[in-house]
Amino acid sequence: MADSAHHPLALEQFLPYRLSIVSNTISQAIAADYQTRFDLSMTEWRVMAVLGRFPDVSAREVAERTAMDKVAVSRALARLVKSGRVIRETHDEDKRRSVLRLSEAGWTIHDEVAPQARAHETEFFAVLDAEERAWLLRILEKLSA
Amino acid sequence: MADSAHHPLALEQFLPYRLSIVSNTISQAIAADYQTRFDLSMTEWRVMAVLGRFPDVSAREVAERTAMDKVAVSRALARLVKSGRVIRETHDEDKRRSVLRLSEAGWTIHDEVAPQARAHETEFFAVLDAEERAWLLRILEKLSA
DNA sequence: ACGTTATAGTTTCACTTGAAACCATTTGCA
DNA sequence: TGCAAATGGTTTCAAGTGAAACTATAACGT
């Protein structure tokens, strides 16, 4: 069969693929920091970030806000509670639900990691000018819908 | 400790996070297709796409072009060779290297999946107008550097 | 030529992950 | 009330993953 009969996919120009490369590269670079410094996985950090912003939510709500599945959240929480970074209580009116918030130790880590994450964000997107950043925001907005 | 002392990260506005959500959503939607129809993992498909475009390369070059690590490539290739979708020979002048290409069966699958992948790409990015797509390309280009 | 170093690729091991099954509690409704 | 369905969360199981060790071959420097 002649090659000319085929239409190979130009992976290197394929948008979903390029998006995933860029995204993974950036995420991993950021994660590398707190993974080694705080023995904190990316999923754990995401959970902590949500709890920093929305204290006293349930595990389900954490899952929703992180776009992670509930199994991942359950495991991240188990580790975070065990290491004393998150406090888990039971909801007064619904004993199935947990009520989650950062402990003092959790806040300490949060307050070190959050500015670093923001600094990384700034650094990565510094190659873009203001106009490009604005477009990127707008584009991500549309793609998420 | 008063909450006002902290500066929680607004995950939902954090660019690396939003990028990863969009990227994963798109990749998984595309993968869902060929996973069930052809029992083909995303890594396997990526390897096949590279071999469609660059026949007779080595495993190392596949790894480079897919941005996957060599272990993942090795395993994907093992499965693809076993299922008769990829032909593996040994390089004439360097017996360490393999020389890889799609078999007839491999091409058949390739020629079904590739247009579907392109269709998905078109569909996803249809929410963007031409100007936005141009910006996105340019932005990804810069972020990859 | 010969030993060191580098490279291609595979295997092993410990860890992560998601789907499905599961348990406990609550809700909806006959 | 009482029982089926829904919900919050955890556990189990099978598969996927990367780092490091390993095998085989080639390249390099003396």
Side-chain angles (χ1 to χ4, degrees):
Chain A
M1 190 182 286
D3 261 345
S4 57
H6 303 293
H7 297 280
L9 193 65
L11 251 201
E12 71 277 11
Q13 291 179 1
F14 188 57
L15 267 169
Y17 173 71
R18 299 191 51 184
L19 208 51
S20 93
I21 299 280
V22 167
S23 168
N24 290 343
T25 304
I26 294 178
S27 290
Q28 287 186 347
I30 296 179
D33 259 2
Y34 49 74
Q35 305 234 331
T36 59
R37 285 212 301 149
F38 299 109
D39 182 29
L40 199 63
S41 73
M42 194 177 72
T43 59
E44 281 162 28
W45 164 245
R46 284 189 179 171
V47 168
M48 290 185 66
V50 167
L51 294 183
R53 193 157 159 72
F54 306 100
D56 298 323
V57 297
S58 68
R60 193 192 57 74
E61 193 166 349
V62 171
E64 249 174 35
R65 293 194 178 276
T66 51
M68 289 163 36
D69 77 53
K70 63 178 185 171
V71 178
V73 170
S74 170
R75 281 194 272 241
L77 280 171
R79 252 195 111 219
L80 289 169
V81 169
K82 191 173 173 191
S83 61
R85 294 163 174 183
V86 165
I87 295 168
R88 169 158 51 190
E89 286 166 356
T90 299
H91 193 282
D92 277 349
E93 292 154 23
D94 185 344
K95 287 172 194 158
R96 292 170 306 178
R97 273 190 250 174
S98 47
V99 177
L100 302 158
R101 62 197 151 80
L102 295 178
S103 66
E104 277 303 306
W107 273 115
T108 303
I109 292 173
H110 173 279
D111 289 351
E112 259 200 86
V113 174
Q116 273 229 337
R118 272 188 281 258
H120 268 297
E121 181 190 34
T122 304
E123 180 194 333
F124 271 112
F125 294 98
V127 297
L128 305 181
D129 60 38
E131 194 183 9
E132 286 163 342
R133 279 197 293 273
W135 278 101
L136 179 55
L137 278 174
R138 194 177 147 59
I139 287 165
L140 285 177
E141 197 72 53
K142 277 185 142 186
L143 287 177
S144 305
Chain B
M1 188 182 287
D3 261 343
S4 57
H6 303 292
H7 296 280
L9 192 66
L11 250 202
E12 72 278 12
Q13 291 178 3
F14 189 57
L15 266 171
Y17 172 72
R18 300 190 51 185
L19 209 50
S20 93
I21 299 282
V22 167
S23 167
N24 290 342
T25 305
I26 295 178
S27 290
Q28 287 186 348
I30 296 180
D33 260 0
Y34 51 74
Q35 304 232 332
T36 58
R37 282 213 302 150
F38 299 110
D39 182 27
L40 199 63
S41 73
M42 194 177 71
T43 59
E44 282 163 27
W45 164 245
R46 283 191 179 169
V47 167
M48 288 186 68
V50 167
L51 294 183
R53 191 157 161 72
F54 307 100
D56 297 324
V57 297
S58 68
R60 194 191 57 74
E61 193 166 351
V62 171
E64 251 174 34
R65 292 194 178 276
T66 50
M68 290 163 37
D69 78 53
K70 64 179 185 169
V71 178
V73 170
S74 171
R75 282 194 270 241
L77 280 170
R79 251 196 112 220
L80 289 168
V81 169
K82 192 171 173 192
S83 61
R85 292 162 174 185
V86 166
I87 294 168
R88 169 157 51 190
E89 287 165 355
T90 300
H91 193 282
D92 277 348
E93 291 151 25
D94 184 345
K95 288 171 195 161
R96 293 170 305 178
R97 272 189 252 175
S98 47
V99 177
L100 303 157
R101 63 197 151 79
L102 295 177
S103 67
E104 277 304 305
W107 274 116
T108 302
I109 291 172
H110 173 279
D111 290 352
E112 258 199 87
V113 174
Q116 274 229 335
R118 272 187 283 257
H120 269 296
E121 182 190 33
T122 303
E123 180 193 333
F124 272 111
F125 295 97
V127 296
L128 306 180
D129 59 39
E131 193 183 9
E132 286 163 341
R133 279 196 293 272
W135 278 102
L136 179 56
L137 278 174
R138 193 177 148 60
I139 287 166
L140 285 178
E141 197 72 53
K142 277 185 143 186
L143 287 177
S144 305

